Amino acid sequence: MFKFIKHTIQACQTLQAKKAASLGSSDCFQMQPVPGLMFSIEELVAIQTRAQQKRLADAHAAAASGEGPQTWDRDWFENQQYIGDKISEIASILGWHRTQDFLEVLDWALASPQGQRALAQAGDDASPWQGALEMIEELRGPLIEASHEMLGTQAAGLGYTIDAREELWEALGEVPGPLHNIPRTES
């Protein structure tokens, strides 16, 4: 993901430089790097760690006041993790084709009668299927992102121009997710 962001910034800088050169003025659209725009991996990990520690402290304060998770919920809350990074790692090990199979299985789950009932009640916390829908979304996002990154890497390896890769990313961004294209039934 960070490679993509870095390449995007570089592509924007290159594009701006080309525009400035074509207009005859070298400083008209000159894009200067913004200090502090790119964080190092260590800085991002530290930011994430501080955010997690704050969420945990807030949860403990809410529990102490009787409004948040109680003592018996502590293990559940403290062990809650964002699974996206692990799913991205798994997708990169599986490869692009098997990742597409995994995404298709998730689509099948949503298209099933149970999935359709869950979609009909999406967002309702009282729905017994809300947790499963949330899990599918937690899986789909990182799988799709990993899939797109694999395609971007393949395009770069095949020698696609920056413009062609930008067109690829734009086209991938327009592909709808299954929650948007699967009809909901009233059963």
Side-chain angles (χ1 to χ4, degrees):
M1 179 66 177
F2 298 113
K3 286 182 186 177
F4 171 70
I5 293 170
K6 184 177 179 181
H7 290 296
T8 302
I9 291 171
Q10 289 171 346
C12 288
Q13 290 171 338
T14 303
L15 182 63
Q16 292 296 333
K18 286 180 184 177
K19 283 183 181 178
S22 69
L23 293 174
S25 171
S26 63
D27 62 336
C28 180
F29 287 104
Q30 192 68 19
M31 184 171 176
Q32 298 297 323
V34 178
L37 179 64
M38 296 295 289
F39 289 106
S40 71
I41 298 296
E42 294 82 17
E43 290 171 321
L44 291 172
V45 168
I47 290 168
Q48 178 63 25
T49 302
R50 284 192 302 270
Q52 177 63 20
Q53 289 171 346
K54 180 173 179 357
R55 283 192 298 272
L56 187 58
D58 291 347
H60 284 281
S65 70
E67 296 175 5
Q70 296 304 303
T71 309
W72 53 86
D73 294 327
R74 182 178 183 152
D75 289 341
W76 171 82
F77 188 81
E78 288 182 359
N79 293 317
Q80 214 178 17
Q81 297 179 9
Y82 173 68
I83 62 172
D85 297 334
K86 295 293 181 191
I87 295 299
S88 292
E89 287 176 32
I90 292 169
S92 66
I93 293 168
L94 290 174
W96 188 84
H97 289 90
R98 297 301 278 168
T99 299
Q100 300 316 300
D101 292 342
F102 195 176
L103 286 165
E104 187 170 354
V105 168
L106 295 175
D107 288 345
W108 290 351
L110 289 173
S112 72
Q114 296 88 348
Q116 290 296 295
R117 278 183 256 149
L119 286 170
Q121 297 180 14
D124 180 4
D125 290 335
S127 168
W129 302 291
Q130 187 65 32
L133 278 177
E134 290 171 2
M135 177 59 84
I136 288 172
E137 278 303 302
E138 286 180 31
L139 292 171
R140 279 192 60 73
L143 286 171
I144 290 171
E145 185 177 313
S147 174
H148 291 182
E149 286 180 16
M150 285 186 261
L151 287 174
T153 301
Q154 185 70 17
L158 290 171
Y160 281 34
T161 65
I162 291 174
D163 292 337
R165 282 185 273 169
E166 286 176 7
E167 287 179 24
L168 172 65
W169 282 108
E170 288 174 16
L172 291 172
E174 293 174 6
V175 176
L179 291 179
H180 305 289
N181 64 6
I182 295 177
R184 296 180 180 180
T185 60
E186 295 297 323
S187 50

